[in-house]
Amino acid sequence: MNITVIGASSGIGKEILQYFVSYKDYKLWASYNKVPIVSSNEGQATYFHYDVLQENNPLEELSIQTLDALIYCPGTVLLKPFEKISLQEFKTNLEVDVLGFIKTLQHFLPSLKKSKSASVVVFSSVAAKIGMPYHASVSIAKAGLDALIRTLAAEYAPKIRFNSIALSLIQTPLTQHLVNTESKVQAISQRHPLKRIGNPSDVVPLVKYLISEESSWITGQNFVIDGGITAIK
Ligand SMILES: NC(=O)c1ccc[n+]([C@@H]2O[C@H](COP(=O)([O-])OP(=O)(O)OC[C@H]3O[C@@H](n4cnc5c(N)ncnc54)[C@H](OP(=O)(O)O)[C@@H]3O)[C@@H](O)[C@H]2O)c1
């Protein structure tokens, strides 16, 4: 199985890469932006630099004939009062979360179409499902991404499946500033019915399922991994 992970140098993407790279069944292409990937299993994976905000397209240098799974991890969690978010910040978030995904997918579509069973997975946020203060930018970017995923699922069925995973707080470098003291960890843990914050390892099993044959009758869905915060009062 051929898998491309965009944004595999940190957080959830890194955990996904570490899981798949340990199995010989998977051939991986994994990107980084600012932080080069360090791995002892280089033989099974190709690592490349890719910044979705840049005009140049290093994806053209990859020779991937058939792609079975594309997992897109770049994203933002900009939490600020609405009136303090600049137009440029809104634009950058949309560029990383939505336009970056569009650019990446358009590149890989010919290779995905060659697969007998292709699957695309992106990451959304609970802020696209419920109103949360200070989440204006992330909410519109992720709601746009979720809508796009449903549209693409319709447009490319039955050939390519598309699903998104909406997350509440997962401890990664992206969210480190939100959980950098014990009191912040406690406060955020208490807000979640399951009384802890999430880890990248909470996310990997669903990704594994969504790119496998076991989920071959599932497309256009928005799954939620959130410690119960959106469903339970
Ligand atoms: N963590 C959470 O609590 C949470 C909550 C809701 C949604 N999400 C979503 O889940 C996804 C993964 O989040 P995470 O916490 O794992 O984030 P992370 O630790 O910041 O990792 C993001 C990955 O994307 C890469 N990346 C960032 N900007 C990029 C760009 N302009 N071009 C190409 N690659 C870029 C990063 O590369 P470098 O590190 O090399 O720069 C890194 O590999 C994101 O879409 C995020 O919005 C996360």
Side-chain angles (χ1 to χ4, degrees):
M1 185 177 195
N2 292 348
I3 303 173
T4 294
V5 185
I6 302 298
S9 48
S10 172
I12 294 159
K14 185 176 180 180
E15 190 84 7
I16 292 167
L17 173 64
Q18 278 170 356
Y19 173 81
F20 286 108
V21 89
S22 55
Y23 292 94
K24 291 213 163 29
D25 298 349
Y26 303 108
K27 192 163 179 202
L28 290 146
W29 289 262
S31 83
Y32 60 90
N33 182 24
K34 294 184 183 145
V35 186
I37 297 171
V38 180
S39 168
S40 54
N41 284 331
E42 304 257 340
Q44 294 172 70
T46 302
Y47 303 132
F48 59 98
H49 176 256
Y50 178 40
D51 181 351
V52 299
L53 297 176
Q54 296 300 312
E55 282 297 313
N56 68 328
N57 186 0
L59 304 178
E60 281 164 5
E61 287 160 30
L62 303 174
S63 56
I64 306 176
Q65 293 303 314
T66 302
L67 187 61
D68 303 300
L70 173 64
I71 302 160
Y72 185 84
C73 303
T76 52
V77 177
L78 176 76
L79 307 186
K80 275 191 187 179
F82 172 72
E83 57 205 71
K84 299 259 192 250
I85 306 174
S86 68
L87 208 51
Q88 187 53 50
E89 285 173 319
F90 276 110
K91 280 183 185 166
T92 303
N93 289 3
L94 284 166
E95 272 172 8
V96 174
D97 283 284
V98 185
L99 296 176
F101 170 64
I102 290 171
K103 171 177 160 180
T104 307
L105 179 65
Q106 285 186 338
H107 174 86
F108 283 116
L109 269 173
S111 308
L112 287 161
K113 284 180 183 168
K114 286 186 189 147
S115 169
K116 284 192 197 123
S117 168
S119 174
V120 176
V121 176
V122 302
F123 294 99
S124 176
S125 165
V126 292
K129 306 179 84 64
I130 54 172
M132 299 170 85
Y134 310 136
H135 284 67
S137 185
V138 65
S139 70
I140 59 162
K142 296 304 192 183
L145 190 60
D146 289 344
L148 177 63
I149 285 298
R150 280 189 291 276
T151 301
L152 294 170
E155 199 164 324
Y156 289 97
K159 194 72 188 140
I160 308 173
R161 297 185 298 109
F162 290 84
N163 292 288
S164 69
I165 302 176
L167 304 171
S168 186
L169 200 140
I170 306 287
Q171 191 159 10
T172 69
L174 186 69
T175 55
Q176 195 48 40
H177 63 292
L178 302 173
V179 289
N180 55 5
T181 66
E182 191 48 37
S183 61
K184 287 184 190 173
V185 171
Q186 282 308 320
I188 294 175
S189 298
Q190 288 310 312
R191 286 217 305 273
H192 289 80
L194 294 179
K195 302 298 177 206
R196 67 172 174 86
I197 52 181
N199 299 304
S201 59
D202 293 314
V203 182
V204 174
L206 182 55
V207 173
K208 184 178 160 243
Y209 174 66
L210 288 175
I211 68 167
S212 77
E213 274 303 299
E214 289 175 300
S215 64
S216 63
W217 211 46
I218 297 175
T219 192
Q221 294 303 309
N222 177 231
F223 293 84
V224 181
I225 299 181
D226 70 346
I229 203 167
T230 55
I232 300 170
K233 194 166 170 12

